[in-house]
Structure formats: C-alpha cells, structure tokens
Amino acid sequence: MMGPAHSLSGAAAWLGVGAAAAAAGRPMPWPVLLVGALVCAGAALAPDLDHKAATISRAFGPISYRLCEIVEKLSHAVYKATRMKGDPRRSGGHRTLTHTWVWAVLIGTGTSVLAITGGRWAVLAILFVHMVLAIEGLLWRAARGSSSDILVWLLAATSAWILADILDQPGNGSNWLFTAEGQEYLWLGLPIVLGALVHNIGDALTVSGCPILWPIPVGRRRWYPVGPPKAMRFRAGSWVELKVLMPAFMVLGGVGCAVALNFI
C-alpha cells in the first residue's frame, strides 16, 4: 500500500486497541489515545525504511535518505544470508527484513527501552520522529515538497513538546498500563510494534505479498510472501486502496475512538 493508506491503517488500529482496552476495563486516557494513534500512524510508514523512494526516505532530508540506503543494504545482506532454495535471487532489499514480525518487535522493544532509560529528551525525540511521519502520511498533499519540510518539522517538534507536557500531568497517561516506578512511557513501544505489523498486513494484501513470518520457513522458502489468494490482491495505489480501504480505515478509526472515549 501507499503511505497515506498505511498511516490511516495505523491510526485506526491504535484507536481499535483503545476501544478494546476500554472494554477490558483498562481505558486509555485521551492523551494516550491521541499520542498512540499519531505514533502508530507514523510507525506504519517505518518498514519502508528499506526503500529510497518511500515517504520516510524524504521525511528528514539527507539523513533519512542515507539511512534508507544503509537499511536497504542491510536487508539485502540478511536476505542473501538466510534465503532457502525456494527463495528467488534478489537485487535489492525492499520488503525483506523490515517487513517481518521480528523487525517490528525489535524496533518496538528498543523504543520502549530508550523511552524509560533516556529521560525526557529521548521521549521527545521518539515523539518528534513519529509526529513528522504521521504528518507526512496523514497530510501527504499539504506536506509534499521540500519547501514544506521545515514547517513539518516545526509542527512536529511543537506537537511533541506539548503532548509530552500533557502526558506528564498526573492521570494523563505517561504511566498508562505500566504503573511501576520508572516505567513511564514504557507503553510507547506498543503503537510502534502495532504500526509496523499493520503496515506488513497491508502490504500482504497487494500483489507482491509480504514475508511477515520470517525467519519461520514455509515449505522451501524462508521469505515466503504471505497474502490472500492472488485473485483477492490489488496493486498499491489502485482504486481498491483509495476508494475502499482508506474510507474503511476512517470509519473504523472513528468508531474505535468513540468507543474508547465512551461516546458509544
């Protein structure tokens, strides 16, 4: 799928988690619901860090572009080192390592560790990065073009600072779910794992499929492209994505938000 659909699916997924948490008796404070949805929307773009033409490669200028080159080479190297006889030869690393459940868990775990050990500035950095990605994904038309990059960064930095201040207030959710001393913001890794997994599921619906299960072998392939029957798949950017899935994500996200906040 394309960036906007990935971001919408990530936001909708976290709002759905908010609804489930409310039903389970552990409701999210509204700042956690909001921040989690934005972080998940941003994290849903992150697996494309292996593609130099993806939204994330442009989000932070030369820094993110260079990082994409490094991750693509790393992904390709891991693919070559772990492929089985049934896996085809590849010339690049797109839709390999960063599109697996292993990568999602590692990135989410690393984020949680950074959040609880790095203090306020680490939390602000995590929020800033994902606010930039969320803006690029959800407001892709307004954020498109190099002339808007600085405005996006300023908006993301301001949003990160304000939202962190709100979360730090008693009862607003910095210690949601994990309440022990020193575990504030431990939950930040959850929307990042969810965003990456939702991205992979979305890509699995397209014609190429997605090797979510790596390194678990399927038959003679370790990089098996998981997906529905080929007749049910679609091309990225097709009318199915734009006219069916994106509106569905908006509706599901709205319903999830209403349930999470006890409006319905």
Side-chain angles (χ1 to χ4, degrees), residues 120-142:
R120 178 177 174 81
W121 287 107
V123 171
L124 287 173
I126 293 167
L127 293 181
F128 169 72
V129 168
H130 289 88
M131 292 303 115
V132 169
L133 295 178
I135 294 168
E136 293 278 359
L138 297 174
L139 303 177
W140 75 97
R141 293 188 187 279

Short mmCIF file of all heavy atoms in Angstrom, two decimals, residues 120-142:
data_model
loop_
_atom_site.label_atom_id
_atom_site.label_comp_id
_atom_site.label_asym_id
_atom_site.label_seq_id
_atom_site.Cartn_x
_atom_site.Cartn_y
_atom_site.Cartn_z
N ARG A 120 13.45 12.56 29.44
CA ARG A 120 12.52 13.38 28.68
C ARG A 120 12.97 13.61 27.24
O ARG A 120 12.16 13.57 26.32
CB ARG A 120 12.32 14.72 29.37
CG ARG A 120 11.37 15.67 28.61
CD ARG A 120 11.15 16.96 29.37
NE ARG A 120 10.36 17.90 28.58
CZ ARG A 120 9.05 17.88 28.45
NH1 ARG A 120 8.35 16.93 29.07
NH2 ARG A 120 8.40 18.78 27.71
N TRP A 121 14.27 13.83 27.04
CA TRP A 121 14.73 14.14 25.70
C TRP A 121 14.58 12.94 24.76
O TRP A 121 14.32 13.10 23.56
CB TRP A 121 16.18 14.63 25.72
CG TRP A 121 16.28 16.01 26.28
CD1 TRP A 121 16.78 16.37 27.49
CD2 TRP A 121 15.84 17.22 25.64
NE1 TRP A 121 16.68 17.74 27.65
CE2 TRP A 121 16.12 18.29 26.53
CE3 TRP A 121 15.26 17.51 24.41
CZ2 TRP A 121 15.82 19.61 26.24
CZ3 TRP A 121 14.96 18.84 24.11
CH2 TRP A 121 15.24 19.87 25.01
N ALA A 122 14.73 11.74 25.31
CA ALA A 122 14.51 10.55 24.49
C ALA A 122 13.05 10.44 24.09
O ALA A 122 12.72 10.12 22.94
CB ALA A 122 14.95 9.29 25.25
N VAL A 123 12.16 10.70 25.04
CA VAL A 123 10.72 10.67 24.75
C VAL A 123 10.38 11.71 23.69
O VAL A 123 9.63 11.44 22.74
CB VAL A 123 9.90 10.89 26.03
CG1 VAL A 123 8.42 11.08 25.70
CG2 VAL A 123 10.07 9.72 26.99
N LEU A 124 10.92 12.91 23.84
CA LEU A 124 10.66 13.96 22.86
C LEU A 124 11.17 13.57 21.48
O LEU A 124 10.51 13.84 20.46
CB LEU A 124 11.32 15.27 23.31
CG LEU A 124 10.66 15.99 24.49
CD1 LEU A 124 11.52 17.17 24.95
CD2 LEU A 124 9.26 16.47 24.11
N ALA A 125 12.34 12.94 21.42
CA ALA A 125 12.88 12.51 20.13
C ALA A 125 11.99 11.46 19.48
O ALA A 125 11.72 11.52 18.27
CB ALA A 125 14.30 11.96 20.32
N ILE A 126 11.51 10.50 20.27
CA ILE A 126 10.61 9.47 19.75
C ILE A 126 9.34 10.10 19.21
O ILE A 126 8.88 9.77 18.11
CB ILE A 126 10.29 8.44 20.84
CG1 ILE A 126 11.55 7.65 21.22
CG2 ILE A 126 9.18 7.48 20.38
CD1 ILE A 126 11.41 6.83 22.49
N LEU A 127 8.77 11.01 20.00
CA LEU A 127 7.54 11.66 19.57
C LEU A 127 7.77 12.51 18.32
O LEU A 127 6.96 12.50 17.39
CB LEU A 127 6.97 12.52 20.70
CG LEU A 127 6.46 11.78 21.93
CD1 LEU A 127 5.92 12.78 22.96
CD2 LEU A 127 5.38 10.78 21.57
N PHE A 128 8.88 13.25 18.29
CA PHE A 128 9.16 14.11 17.14
C PHE A 128 9.26 13.30 15.85
O PHE A 128 8.63 13.64 14.83
CB PHE A 128 10.47 14.87 17.37
CG PHE A 128 10.98 15.58 16.14
CD1 PHE A 128 10.35 16.71 15.66
CD2 PHE A 128 12.09 15.08 15.46
CE1 PHE A 128 10.81 17.35 14.51
CE2 PHE A 128 12.57 15.72 14.32
CZ PHE A 128 11.92 16.86 13.85
N VAL A 129 10.04 12.22 15.87
CA VAL A 129 10.21 11.40 14.67
C VAL A 129 8.87 10.89 14.17
O VAL A 129 8.55 10.97 12.97
CB VAL A 129 11.17 10.23 14.96
CG1 VAL A 129 11.12 9.21 13.82
CG2 VAL A 129 12.59 10.72 15.15
N HIS A 130 8.04 10.40 15.08
CA HIS A 130 6.77 9.81 14.66
C HIS A 130 5.72 10.87 14.33
O HIS A 130 4.82 10.61 13.53
CB HIS A 130 6.29 8.82 15.72
CG HIS A 130 7.12 7.58 15.76
ND1 HIS A 130 8.25 7.47 16.54
CD2 HIS A 130 7.02 6.40 15.07
CE1 HIS A 130 8.80 6.28 16.34
NE2 HIS A 130 8.09 5.62 15.46
N MET A 131 5.83 12.05 14.93
CA MET A 131 4.93 13.14 14.53
C MET A 131 5.23 13.57 13.09
O MET A 131 4.32 13.82 12.29
CB MET A 131 5.08 14.35 15.47
CG MET A 131 4.59 14.16 16.89
SD MET A 131 2.86 13.68 17.03
CE MET A 131 3.07 12.05 17.73
N VAL A 132 6.53 13.66 12.76
CA VAL A 132 6.90 14.00 11.37
C VAL A 132 6.32 12.98 10.40
O VAL A 132 5.70 13.34 9.39
CB VAL A 132 8.44 14.07 11.22
CG1 VAL A 132 8.82 14.17 9.74
CG2 VAL A 132 9.01 15.26 11.97
N LEU A 133 6.50 11.70 10.72
CA LEU A 133 6.00 10.66 9.83
C LEU A 133 4.47 10.67 9.75
O LEU A 133 3.90 10.47 8.67
CB LEU A 133 6.49 9.29 10.30
CG LEU A 133 7.99 9.06 10.23
CD1 LEU A 133 8.36 7.69 10.78
CD2 LEU A 133 8.51 9.20 8.80
N ALA A 134 3.81 10.93 10.89
CA ALA A 134 2.34 10.97 10.88
C ALA A 134 1.84 12.12 10.02
O ALA A 134 0.87 11.97 9.26
CB ALA A 134 1.82 11.11 12.31
N ILE A 135 2.48 13.28 10.13
CA ILE A 135 2.09 14.42 9.30
C ILE A 135 2.31 14.12 7.82
O ILE A 135 1.46 14.39 6.97
CB ILE A 135 2.87 15.68 9.72
CG1 ILE A 135 2.49 16.11 11.14
CG2 ILE A 135 2.61 16.83 8.74
CD1 ILE A 135 3.41 17.15 11.74
N GLU A 136 3.48 13.54 7.52
CA GLU A 136 3.79 13.19 6.12
C GLU A 136 2.79 12.18 5.57
O GLU A 136 2.42 12.23 4.40
CB GLU A 136 5.21 12.61 6.03
CG GLU A 136 6.32 13.60 6.33
CD GLU A 136 6.66 14.47 5.14
OE1 GLU A 136 6.04 14.29 4.08
OE2 GLU A 136 7.55 15.32 5.27
N GLY A 137 2.34 11.26 6.42
CA GLY A 137 1.43 10.23 5.96
C GLY A 137 -0.01 10.67 5.89
O GLY A 137 -0.70 10.46 4.88
N LEU A 138 -0.49 11.32 6.96
CA LEU A 138 -1.91 11.69 7.03
C LEU A 138 -2.23 12.95 6.24
O LEU A 138 -3.34 13.11 5.75
CB LEU A 138 -2.31 11.88 8.50
CG LEU A 138 -2.21 10.62 9.38
CD1 LEU A 138 -2.48 10.99 10.84
CD2 LEU A 138 -3.16 9.53 8.91
N LEU A 139 -1.25 13.86 6.14
CA LEU A 139 -1.47 15.12 5.41
C LEU A 139 -0.52 15.17 4.21
O LEU A 139 0.14 16.18 3.97
CB LEU A 139 -1.21 16.31 6.34
CG LEU A 139 -2.06 16.35 7.62
CD1 LEU A 139 -1.65 17.54 8.49
CD2 LEU A 139 -3.54 16.43 7.29
N TRP A 140 -0.50 14.08 3.45
CA TRP A 140 0.52 13.95 2.42
C TRP A 140 0.47 15.04 1.37
O TRP A 140 1.51 15.47 0.87
CB TRP A 140 0.42 12.58 1.77
CG TRP A 140 -0.72 12.38 0.82
CD1 TRP A 140 -0.69 12.47 -0.53
CD2 TRP A 140 -2.08 12.06 1.15
NE1 TRP A 140 -1.93 12.21 -1.07
CE2 TRP A 140 -2.80 11.96 -0.07
CE3 TRP A 140 -2.76 11.83 2.34
CZ2 TRP A 140 -4.17 11.67 -0.12
CZ3 TRP A 140 -4.12 11.53 2.30
CH2 TRP A 140 -4.80 11.44 1.08
N ARG A 141 -0.70 15.54 1.02
CA ARG A 141 -0.76 16.58 -0.01
C ARG A 141 -0.18 17.90 0.50
O ARG A 141 0.58 18.57 -0.20
CB ARG A 141 -2.20 16.78 -0.47
CG ARG A 141 -2.78 15.58 -1.20
CD ARG A 141 -4.14 15.91 -1.80
NE ARG A 141 -4.78 14.73 -2.37
CZ ARG A 141 -4.51 14.23 -3.56
NH1 ARG A 141 -3.61 14.83 -4.33
NH2 ARG A 141 -5.13 13.15 -4.01
N ALA A 142 -0.53 18.25 1.74
CA ALA A 142 -0.03 19.50 2.31
C ALA A 142 1.45 19.42 2.63
O ALA A 142 2.16 20.44 2.59
CB ALA A 142 -0.82 19.84 3.58
#
